[in-house]
Amino acid sequence: MNQAANLAMFACKRSKPSHQLKDLIKRSIHDVNYRGRLTIRFKDTSYHPKDGGFHPVSITIDIKDSHIAIREITDRVYVGDETPELVPDLTFDFANNIAFARFSGWLGMHLSPIMQN
């Protein structure tokens, strides 16, 4: 099994929001009766194409009443030499049960036993 498939399986197992993420979401919403889709973006302002740093990450969630569901997580990375641009490196689309890895493309996210030798 390749690395992208392992990452997809790990993300699928962890798709339930943690208490810390729920608290962050609640602090991000000013209207306590908010319903709909919300995207939270994490960005390291020192991240640079040549110097590196922490990749920008976005988490999209659906909120209905007190229920919070993670819809998508995307990690972006700079690509290109002349004019680097941010592109998705990894995306976990829980709504459609698929994952994207830049070097592997789109993969189905399904849980199966990990084979160990």
Side-chain angles (χ1 to χ4, degrees):
M1 185 177 300
N2 66 27
Q3 182 181 9
N6 282 333
L7 287 170
M9 286 190 352
F10 174 75
C12 193
K13 289 178 184 178
R14 300 285 300 157
S15 64
K16 187 170 181 162
S18 67
H19 293 294
Q20 294 90 342
L21 180 58
K22 287 181 183 179
D23 290 342
L24 176 65
I25 292 165
K26 288 174 185 173
R27 286 195 312 263
S28 300
I29 301 171
H30 300 293
D31 178 4
V32 294
N33 294 317
Y34 180 86
R35 290 186 177 126
R37 187 161 296 150
L38 176 70
T39 299
I40 301 171
R41 290 182 175 87
F42 301 91
K43 182 179 179 183
D44 176 5
T45 56
S46 65
Y47 178 54
H48 190 272
K50 293 181 182 174
D51 300 333
F54 294 103
H55 295 183
V57 173
S58 62
I59 300 173
T60 302
I61 56 173
D62 286 329
I63 302 169
K64 184 176 180 183
D65 300 322
S66 62
H67 180 70
I68 297 171
I70 297 176
R71 183 172 184 82
E72 183 178 288
I73 299 173
T74 301
D75 168 72
R76 289 179 171 76
V77 64
Y78 277 114
V79 173
D81 293 327
E82 294 292 322
T83 55
E85 63 178 304
L86 280 172
V87 299
D89 191 35
L90 292 171
T91 298
F92 300 102
D93 181 346
F94 299 105
N96 295 301
N97 218 18
I98 55 177
F100 173 82
R102 187 165 42 112
F103 295 111
S104 300
W106 287 99
L107 306 165
M109 275 196 315
H110 55 279
L111 293 176
S112 61
I114 297 176
M115 301 300 225
Q116 296 181 1
N117 296 339

